[in-house]
């Protein structure tokens, strides 16, 4: 099924679009200024669960998740990268790719757990300053799939 | 690197072992009785990040994550499946595969967020009663990779 009325990820991009392949987009999440390196890989068609994709589509999806993780590691050297697809509130397949540091608001907890601290402002500014380089590299990385005849 | 001293997932199974492939194991998490369908796919070697695996190993890892998700969906019809690799506290690659229901303790939040309610005891008992069938099917599903010469 391609699009579902009322689904926020069918009807809107859901964030700042950083790049696309024929089957998905990468967006920067904008909801939380404490996480300037929080990206999402959003499947274009409305799929609910990861296993609603074909094996080939799943591999493409995770290749892109890995490509985003690699760019984050290269530019930002995060303490850890967190990957997750939950979709309890928005059941349209999207993968969170989040760079994490020991100084961030929730570390070592997940970003959905209780806040541990106010994150370091200078560190946050450093990450934010790298955003344009990070996103240029993600866009460049996604070009390898441009025009590829993907799909089931 | 194969094993790291002091790493709980290098030194212990980390839960009830449900099945293995030549490169990983599937365990049932036992920490939280409110989640009787909470499994983990644990990479045997000590890898920190998903992108520390080769592309072939990543595909194998996600094939197993998908296989576990499929068994959970088949037997339990969860409202949603949650997949995540965080590793902030235990930086040894492991994927959480969690069956979620609207009646569970945290829905629609992640299991790491604030508790929403006491889960329905009869529903929990139903899920727990299916555990042996679920785990027999996961073990069976993993047999397709037994003896496969996998690896980088």
């Amino acid at each position: 099924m391609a699009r579902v009325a009322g689904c926020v990820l069918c009807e809107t991009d859901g964030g700042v679009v950083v790049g696309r392949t024929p089957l998905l987009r990468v967006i920067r999440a904008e909801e939380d200024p404490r996480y300037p390196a929080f990206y999402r890989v959003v499947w274009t068609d409305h799929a609910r669960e990861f296993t609603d994709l074909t094996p080939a589509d799943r591999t493409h999806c995770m290749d892109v998740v890995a490509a985003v993780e690699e760019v984050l590691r290269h530019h930002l050297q995060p303490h850890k990268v967190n990957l997750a697809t939950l979709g309890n509130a928005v059941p349209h397949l999207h993968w969170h790719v989040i760079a994490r540091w020991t100084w961030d608001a929730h570390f070592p907890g997940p970003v959905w757990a209780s806040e541990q601290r106010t994150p370091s402002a200078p560190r946050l500014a450093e990450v934010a300053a790298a955003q344009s380089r990070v996103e240029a590299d993600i866009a460049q990385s996604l070009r390898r799939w441009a025009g590829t005849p993907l799909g089931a």
Side-chain angles (χ1 to χ4, degrees), chain A:
Chain A
M1 103 184 72
R3 286 189 176 239
V4 167
C7 170
V8 69
L9 291 178
C10 286
E11 296 189 337
T12 72
D13 287 331
V16 178
V17 177
V18 174
R20 294 181 191 272
T21 77
L23 295 173
L24 55 77
R25 63 184 175 274
V26 176
I27 62 174
R28 184 196 337 130
E30 295 183 291
E31 304 95 89
D32 191 336
R34 296 171 304 176
Y35 289 97
F38 189 147
Y39 293 89
R40 293 193 180 110
V41 176
V42 181
W43 198 251
T44 304
D45 279 352
H46 187 88
R48 184 179 178 86
E49 301 283 6
F50 187 52
T51 51
D52 289 335
L53 302 190
T54 64
D57 283 353
R58 288 202 302 261
T59 298
H60 175 58
C61 186
M62 297 314 292
D63 281 349
V64 171
V65 167
V68 174
E69 176 175 300
E70 276 173 350
V71 171
L72 296 183
R73 292 180 72 183
H74 174 70
H75 284 276
L76 303 173
Q77 295 89 45
H79 187 72
K80 194 66 195 63
V81 178
N82 292 173
L83 307 177
T85 183
L86 309 173
N88 304 328
V90 179
H92 174 133
L93 184 67
H94 59 282
W95 279 90
H96 305 281
V97 183
I98 317 166
R100 302 294 313 278
W101 285 273
T102 51
W103 50 261
D104 75 29
H106 301 83
F107 204 90
V111 300
W112 306 282
S114 309
E115 186 170 325
Q116 300 291 317
R117 68 189 65 79
T118 301
S120 154
R123 300 288 191 121
L124 268 184
E126 254 175 53
V127 176
Q131 224 168 41
S132 60
R133 293 193 302 277
V134 164
E135 294 176 13
D137 255 23
I138 292 173
Q140 174 61 34
S141 180
L142 265 55
R143 275 182 208 120
R144 80 185 90 162
W145 293 290
T148 312
L150 296 162

